[in-house]
Amino acid sequence: MVPDNLDEAVNKSNSVPDLEVKPQDLYHANSFITRWIFCQDAKVIGIQYSLTAIAIGLVAMVLSWMMRLQLGFPETFSFLGPAEYYQFVTMHGMIMVIYLLTALFLGGFGNFLIPLMVGARDMVFPYVNMISFWIYFLAVLILVASFFVPGGPTGAGWTLYPPQAITQGTPGSGWGIVLMLISLSVFVVGFTMGGLNYVITILQARTRGMTLMRMPLTVWGIFTATVLALFAFPALIVSCIMMTLDSLLGTSFFMPTMVELGEKLEYGGGSPILFQHLFWFFGHPEVYIVALPAFGIVSDLISVHARKNIFGYRMMVWAIVFIGALSFIVWAHHMYVSGMNPWFGFFFATTTLIIAVPTAIKVYNWVLTLWRGNIRLTLPMLFALAFIVTFVNGGITGLFLGNVIVDVPLSDTYFVVAHFHMVMGIAPVLVVFGAIYHWFPLITGRYLHEGMGQFHFWVSFLGSYAIYFPMHYLGFIGVPRRYYEMYNSEFIPTSAEGLNQFITIAALTVGFAQIVFLYNIIVSSKFGKLAGKNPWQACSLEWQTPDVPPGHGNFGKELPVVYRWAYDFSVPGAKEDFIPQNVAPNEVPEAKAEQT
Amino acid sequence: MFVAIMLTLVTVGSILFHFFSPWWWTEVASNWGNIDDTIILTFWVTGSVFVAICLFSAYCVWKFRYQKNRRADYEPENPKLEWWLTILTALGVAALLAPGLVVWNQYVTVPKDAYEIEVMAQQWYFSYRLPGEDNKLGTSDIMNITDDNPFGINPNDPNGQDDVLIDGDDIHLLIDRPTKVLLRSIDVLHNFYVPQFRAKMDMVPGSVTYYWFTPTRTGYFEILCAEYCGTGHYAMRGWVSVDEQEDYQAWLQEQETFEEMMARNNDNKEIEIVAK
Ligand code: HEM
Ligand SMILES: [Cu+2]
Ligand SMILES: [Cu+2]
C-alpha cells in the first residue's frame, strides 16, 4: 500500500518503497507486421499517429494555398469556383483542427512521451492502443474518400451548421457531408480508446516516486487535454449521429420547417441552434485540447533550454486544470450573434474573460522562467519564444472577441480568421516544430540539421506573423470570412487588394519552408549529426533511458525511481547545472534543492 | 543579440503598423459608436500587455544569454509576485468586461418607440417588409408561401394587409429613428450585417431574431450576409439607403402594400383566364 507521505518517506530515507504491482510481462513483437504495422509499442504507435497526421496535414496545407491564390488573385484561376473554395475551406479547417493537431498532440506526442516521462514500460492497454491508431487511420481514409465521391467533399464550413450542411445549396450536401459525419464518429471511437489509455497510464502506471506533482508539465498538459476530450467528444459524436439521421432518414433533430431552393421540405420542428450548442460544447474544449498539450510542452522546452526551473510549477499545474474546467462553461461565446437568447451573452462573456486570468498567469510564468536564466538559443528555444509572441498576440484578440459587445462587429470577419489562426493554428504548430527539434534526437539518435532549421524557423515565424497580423485589420474594415470573392466593395479601400496579394505570397513562402523542414527530417534521420545520450541535458525521465533511442520496454532491466521534480536545473551547490529526476539526494549531497 | 533585435522589431513593427495602417474601420453610421470606444479601450489595455511581454522576453534573451560559467537563478516560486500578477490581471480584465457589458445591455434593450421592420433572407438575397399605416406587421408563416405570396404573410390577418413589401430592391431607413430589425429566414442560416452600423445578428429558420440601431448618417451602405449559407454566400449582398424625412417619404409612397400586390396578382390571373 502507498504510505500517505510517500514523498517524505522517499526523500528522508532514500529507501525505495516496494512495487505495488508485480512487473507485468511485456508484449513482444515477433514478426515485421507485429513490429511495425500492428504494433503495440506506444513509441511506434506514436510515430504512426504522427506520420499519418502530418501526411493529412500536408493536404490541408495545399488546400490553404489554393484558397490564398483565390483570395490574393481573384478571377485568375478558373479551376477554383465558389463550390471548390467552400469545400477547401471546410476540409482545410477540419483536417487542421481534428486530424492533424488533435491526433498529433494526443496520439503522437501522447503515445511517445507519456510512458517514457512517467517511467512506465508501455501504455497500460497496448492492444487497445494499437486498435486506436488503426481506427484513426480508418477515419482518415474515410475523410480522404470524400474527395472522390459524387458531389465532392462537404463544403459546409468546418462548423457543419445545419440546415445548410445537408441542403442542396451547399457543395457536397449528399455524400460529402455523410462521409464527414461518419469519419468524425469513427475518429471519436478511436480517440476514446487511446484517451482512456493515456489517462489510466498516467494515473496508474507512474514509476515509484513519480507523484502527480512531480510530473513534467508536458504530461500534465496532455493528461488534462485528454480528460477534456473524453468529456467533449461525446457531444460531437451525438451531433454527428443526429445529423446523419436528419440527412439519411429524414428525422428533424436540427431541421426546422423550411424551403430549399423554392421547394418546401418535409422537415419541421427541429432546432438549428441546438446543433450549435452541441457543436461548441465540443468545439470550445477542442481549442484547449490543442492548446493545453502545447502549453505543457512549451513549458518544458523553455525550462530545459533556459537551464532554469519552470517558474511557479504548482501555479502552472493548477492553471492548466482550472483552464480545462472552465473551458466547459464558455462555449456559447462562439454564438453571441447566433440568435440564441441575447441574455446568455452576460454569462458567457464573464466566464470567458475569467479564463484569461489563468491563461495570463501561464504567460507570465513562461517569461519569468527566462528571467535570470542561462538561455541557450537552440532551435526548440527559438520556437518557444516565437510561440510566446504569437500566443500572446492571439490571446489578446481573444479578449476582444470574448467581450460580447466587441464581438458584434468583429464576429464572422477576417478578425476572427486572424485570431484563431494565431492562437490555435500558428502558436501550437510552432510548439509542434519546437518539440520535433527537441525530441528528434531521442527518437532517432540524431540532431536535425541546424542551418535548415534556422531557415525553417525564421521563415515560419516571421512569415506567419506577416500573414496574420495585418489580417486583423481587414476584419476591422468589416471584410467577412468565408467569402469566395469580395468584389470591389465601396467600403473597402482598394489598397486591401495589395494586402491580400502580400498575404498570399507570404503564405506560399511559409509553405515552401515546410517542405525544407520535411526534407530536413528525412535526411537527418539517416545522416544527421549524432546526438548521444541526453544531448540537451534535461532532467525528465525520457532522456534517462539506458538505450537511445529507447528500446522495447523503455528502461532496460530496472524501472527508474524518482526522487525529485523534473526541473532541478542550476541547483545551488550542485556540480552540474541539471539533476535528473532519478538521481537520489545522497548522490548529490552538496545540492541545495528546495522543491522536490 | 540577433534574436533579441528581431523580437523587438516584431513588437515595434506591430505598433507602427497599428498606427499607420491605411486599413481601419469605416466611419460609423449608427448609434453604436460606443462599440468602437470599447474596442479602443481593449486595444490600449491588451496592447500594452502584449508590448510589455514581448519586450521583456527580448530583454531576457539578450541579458541572460548562455554563458558557460554562469548559473541560472534557482527560484521555484514566488507566491507574492504570482498573487500580485493575478490580481492585476483580474483588475485589467474587469476593466474591459464592465464597460463591455454596459454597452451589451444597451444593445439587447430595444427602445419602446423603435420602428419595427422585417428583413427576410433566403438563398441568396434579402427582402424587406415595413409595417404600413397601422404600424403593425401581420403574422407570417413559411406554410403560406406561394408564388403569389412570396413572404408567406397570413392573408387573413388584418394587420398584414397594409404591410409594405420590398422584394428585389434596396431598403430605405429614416435617419435618427430608432429601428428594430426583425430577422427571419425561410431556408438556411444567414446574417444581416452592415459594416457601418457595426451591428449584426444571424437569421435562423424557425425563429425570429432581432437587433436595433439608430441610423445617424445619410448614405448608401452595402449589406453583407455574414453567416455562411451555401455556395452563393459571398454574393449575398444588398443595399440600404439612409434618408432624410423628405426623400424617405417620397420613396415610401412608391412602394406596394401586400393588399395591392395580391390585387395585382389576381388581375394578372384574370387577364390570363380571359386570354385563354
Ligand atoms: C500558414 C498556414 C495557413 C494558411 C495560409 C491558412 C489559410 C486559411 C484560409 C485562407 C482560410 C479560409 C478563410 C475564409 O475564407 O474564411 C482558413 C480557414 C481556416 N483555417 Fe487555416 N490556414 C493555415 C493554417 C491553419 C492551421 C495550422 C490551422 C489549425 C488550427 C488552421 C485552421 C483553420 C480553420 C479552423 C479555418 C476555418 C474553416 C472554416 O471557416 O470553416 N489553419 N485558413
Ligand atoms: Cu446568407
Ligand atoms: Cu451567407
Side-chain angles (χ1 to χ4, degrees):
Chain A
M1 282 279 67
V2 206
D4 287 343
N5 49 356
L6 182 71
D7 286 33
E8 264 178 41
V10 174
N11 283 331
K12 280 203 182 115
S13 64
N14 244 340
S15 68
V16 179
D18 292 336
L19 280 177
E20 281 176 61
V21 184
K22 288 258 147 44
Q24 306 279 310
D25 257 355
L26 267 189
Y27 146 87
H28 292 289
N30 41 24
S31 73
F32 179 83
I33 292 187
T34 48
R35 189 177 181 93
W36 296 114
I37 300 179
F38 297 108
C39 180
Q40 300 183 24
D41 184 326
K43 295 189 293 297
V44 178
I45 296 176
I47 289 168
Q48 289 175 322
Y49 256 112
S50 305
L51 294 180
T52 314
I54 290 172
I56 192 72
L58 288 174
V59 174
M61 183 172 74
V62 173
L63 295 177
S64 79
W65 299 343
M66 302 290 160
M67 291 185 288
R68 274 319 319 176
L69 285 177
Q70 166 61 27
L71 295 173
F73 308 95
E75 285 163 31
T76 316
F77 302 95
S78 56
F79 63 96
L80 275 166
E84 289 77 35
Y85 182 84
Y86 289 124
Q87 290 171 322
F88 292 175
V89 173
T90 307
M91 298 312 272
H92 161 81
M94 192 66 94
I95 292 174
M96 286 288 189
V97 174
I98 308 275
Y99 299 86
L100 172 70
L101 288 177
T102 306
L104 187 57
F105 273 122
L106 302 182
F109 288 104
N111 267 309
F112 195 89
L113 292 174
I114 291 171
L116 279 165
M117 282 187 146
V118 303
R121 297 203 180 278
D122 205 331
M123 288 287 178
V124 284
F125 306 122
Y127 184 76
V128 178
N129 209 18
M130 181 267 285
I131 305 271
S132 151
F133 167 73
W134 286 103
I135 294 180
Y136 162 65
F137 194 78
L138 177 66
V140 173
L141 288 185
I142 299 174
L143 181 88
V144 171
S146 80
F147 280 94
F148 302 100
V149 295
T154 173
W158 90 280
T159 46
L160 305 181
Y161 281 179
Q164 50 262 53
I166 60 174
T167 60
Q168 282 182 24
T170 307
S173 58
W175 284 82
I177 181 71
V178 171
L179 285 186
M180 180 85 251
L181 296 168
I182 294 177
S183 171
L184 284 171
S185 308
V186 171
F187 180 94
V188 174
V189 171
F191 173 78
T192 306
M193 297 183 170
L196 289 171
N197 238 323
Y198 316 148
V199 169
I200 297 175
T201 303
I202 292 170
L203 292 179
Q204 295 294 318
R206 280 167 288 130
T207 187
R208 281 166 295 168
M210 179 64 87
T211 60
L212 288 176
M213 287 314 254
R214 279 176 175 169
M215 293 198 305
L217 287 167
T218 298
V219 180
W220 267 109
I222 293 175
F223 173 70
T224 316
T226 309
V227 174
L228 294 192
L230 289 173
F231 284 116
F233 276 126
L236 177 68
I237 197 171
V238 296
S239 37
C240 284
I241 291 171
M242 285 155 87
M243 208 199 301
T244 312
L245 295 177
D246 280 4
S247 172
L248 296 182
L249 300 187
T251 54
S252 290
F253 290 110
F254 305 129
M255 302 298 280
T257 313
M258 61 176 284
V259 298
E260 173 188 70
L261 307 174
E263 294 285 313
K264 278 186 205 114
L265 295 181
E266 295 291 311
Y267 294 116
S271 162
I273 292 191
L274 171 64
F275 176 87
Q276 300 184 20
H277 280 296
L278 285 170
F279 182 85
W280 288 114
F281 187 81
F282 142 77
H284 190 80
E286 170 60 34
V287 175
Y288 289 96
I289 292 167
V290 171
L292 293 180
F295 289 177
I297 291 172
V298 85
S299 309
D300 286 352
L301 298 188
I302 292 177
S303 168
V304 171
H305 296 271
R307 315 308 299 154
K308 192 174 163 224
N309 61 67
I310 191 78
F311 182 80
Y313 173 82
R314 283 187 299 173
M315 201 71 142
M316 291 298 251
V317 171
W318 288 115
I320 287 181
V321 173
F322 195 57
I323 292 172
L326 276 177
S327 76
F328 279 101
I329 51 165
V330 300
W331 77 89
H333 66 209
H334 298 273
M335 299 169 59
Y336 287 146
V337 295
S338 69
M340 68 173 180
N341 187 331
W343 295 95
F344 287 162
F346 292 99
F347 175 78
F348 286 100
T350 309
T351 52
T352 302
L353 290 219
I354 290 175
I355 278 206
V357 178
T359 312
I361 292 173
K362 299 203 65 84
V363 174
Y364 302 146
N365 285 4
W366 290 322
V367 294
L368 286 170
T369 303
L370 297 175
W371 177 252
R372 304 218 167 138
N374 198 11
I375 302 171
R376 292 178 178 163
L377 288 173
T378 54
L379 284 164
M381 185 57 155
L382 291 179
F383 278 103
L385 291 168
F387 163 82
I388 294 179
V389 174
T390 35
F391 181 73
V392 174
N393 194 296
I396 62 180
T397 52
L399 285 169
F400 287 66
L401 297 171
N403 204 351
V404 50
I405 190 66
V406 179
D407 181 63
V408 170
L410 297 179
S411 76
D412 275 300
T413 67
Y414 267 88
F415 189 88
V416 175
V417 177
H419 156 72
F420 71 68
H421 276 95
M422 275 281 191
V423 80
M424 76 165 310
I426 303 308
V429 168
L430 288 171
V431 173
V432 167
F433 292 150
I436 292 177
Y437 285 94
H438 182 78
W439 279 299
F440 195 78
L442 182 69
I443 300 169
T444 64
R446 294 169 188 275
Y447 289 109
L448 281 163
H449 186 268
E450 175 79 18
M452 279 191 268
Q454 290 279 345
F455 173 80
H456 176 226
F457 169 72
W458 288 107
V459 176
S460 301
F461 169 44
L462 298 179
S464 49
Y465 198 80
I467 297 173
Y468 291 110
F469 187 77
M471 199 185 272
H472 293 94
Y473 292 79
L474 290 177
F476 281 125
I477 302 174
V479 182
R481 72 189 273 206
R482 293 169 170 173
Y483 262 40
Y484 163 70
E485 186 170 357
M486 206 46 230
Y487 303 127
N488 303 319
S489 279
E490 234 170 276
F491 73 99
I492 303 171
T494 43
S495 56
E497 274 171 40
L499 178 57
N500 264 322
Q501 291 168 1
F502 169 79
I503 292 178
T504 298
I505 292 166
L508 295 176
T509 316
V510 170
F512 172 71
Q514 309 320 309
I515 295 171
V516 174
F517 175 56
L518 281 182
Y519 176 78
N520 192 356
I521 290 192
I522 295 169
V523 171
S524 300
S525 61
K526 266 253 148 60
F527 306 107
K529 202 170 94 191
L530 284 174
K533 251 186 174 179
N534 198 0
W536 311 114
Q537 304 177 301
C539 303
S540 43
L541 286 184
E542 82 273 24
W543 297 103
Q544 323 303 336
T545 56
D547 308 312
V548 177
H552 189 56
N554 293 346
F555 291 99
K557 271 220 178 68
E558 286 274 337
L559 279 179
V561 177
V562 166
Y563 299 94
R564 55 187 75 241
W565 67 337
Y567 301 98
D568 260 341
F569 292 104
S570 306
V571 178
K575 263 203 264 5
E576 302 279 347
D577 73 350
F578 70 109
I579 309 176
Q581 284 190 278
N582 56 347
V583 172
N586 60 2
E587 296 174 55
V588 281
E590 66 290 352
K592 296 185 190 60
E594 284 167 33
Q595 180 128 2
T596 50
Chain B
M1 195 68 192
F2 180 68
V3 178
I5 291 176
M6 291 309 280
L7 287 177
T8 316
L9 280 182
V10 167
T11 318
V12 175
S14 306
I15 302 173
L16 293 178
F17 185 95
H18 177 71
F19 284 109
F20 294 104
S21 159
W23 303 293
W24 194 236
W25 52 52
T26 49
E27 188 191 344
V28 66
S30 79
N31 59 319
W32 296 122
N34 47 2
I35 297 186
D36 293 355
D37 300 338
T38 54
I39 297 186
I40 296 284
L41 171 74
T42 316
F43 249 119
W44 281 105
V45 175
T46 60
S48 30
V49 175
F50 173 69
V51 171
I53 288 178
C54 290
L55 292 183
F56 182 83
S57 317
Y59 175 76
C60 291
V61 166
W62 167 72
K63 175 84 184 170
F64 307 112
R65 63 192 175 280
Y66 187 73
Q67 279 159 4
K68 209 167 168 106
N69 35 25
R70 214 192 59 224
R71 270 285 163 100
D73 259 18
Y74 184 77
E75 190 189 24
E77 33 196 37
N78 180 339
K80 217 166 132 195
L81 177 63
E82 289 173 66
W83 278 113
W84 268 114
L85 287 171
T86 310
I87 291 166
L88 282 178
T89 311
L91 287 178
V93 165
L96 297 178
L97 182 63
L101 291 185
V102 170
V103 182
W104 176 249
N105 192 33
Q106 296 165 3
Y107 189 78
V108 300
T109 316
V110 185
K112 285 232 168 56
D113 59 343
Y115 180 69
E116 290 192 348
I117 67 166
E118 181 190 82
V119 183
M120 191 180 97
Q122 56 195 297
Q123 288 170 327
W124 284 279
Y125 63 97
F126 298 103
S127 27
Y128 314 90
R129 182 157 67 114
L130 307 180
E133 257 144 40
D134 62 356
N135 250 332
K136 280 193 194 118
L137 287 166
T139 49
S140 68
D141 193 322
I142 290 184
M143 293 322 246
N144 296 332
I145 293 181
T146 58
D147 287 346
D148 286 351
N149 183 2
F151 284 75
I153 297 169
N154 177 356
N156 305 322
D157 184 346
N159 291 335
Q161 303 304 320
D162 65 346
D163 286 2
V164 176
L165 307 181
I166 298 132
D167 200 0
D169 207 346
D170 306 339
I171 175 77
H172 288 235
L173 297 175
L174 181 59
I175 191 167
D176 292 332
R177 175 169 64 181
T179 303
K180 176 181 184 183
V181 281
L182 296 167
L183 305 171
R184 186 155 76 92
S185 165
I186 60 168
D187 46 33
V188 301
L189 305 172
H190 299 277
N191 184 306
F192 184 72
Y193 171 49
V194 179
Q196 288 89 343
F197 292 163
R198 302 290 189 266
K200 63 163 76 81
M201 187 59 75
D202 279 4
M203 318 172 87
V204 185
S207 50
V208 177
T209 57
Y210 65 89
Y211 63 86
W212 79 279
F213 59 96
T214 309
T216 53
R217 172 159 80 83
T218 58
Y220 192 54
F221 308 110
E222 190 167 4
I223 303 166
L224 303 153
C225 176
E227 177 61 59
Y228 176 64
C229 55
T231 318
H233 169 56
Y234 69 102
M236 183 162 167
R237 323 268 178 107
W239 289 91
V240 50
S241 171
V242 177
D243 298 343
E244 300 284 359
Q245 181 75 24
E246 233 168 79
D247 297 342
Y248 181 77
Q249 290 305 341
W251 168 80
L252 193 59
Q253 295 314 317
E254 284 172 18
Q255 307 307 316
E256 201 176 35
T257 63
F258 178 58
E259 218 167 16
E260 288 164 1
M261 188 188 75
M262 291 309 257
R264 177 166 55 84
N265 288 338
N266 278 335
D267 288 354
N268 287 350
K269 269 194 201 129
E270 272 160 31
I271 294 170
E272 262 169 49
I273 293 168
V274 171
K276 267 181 199 159

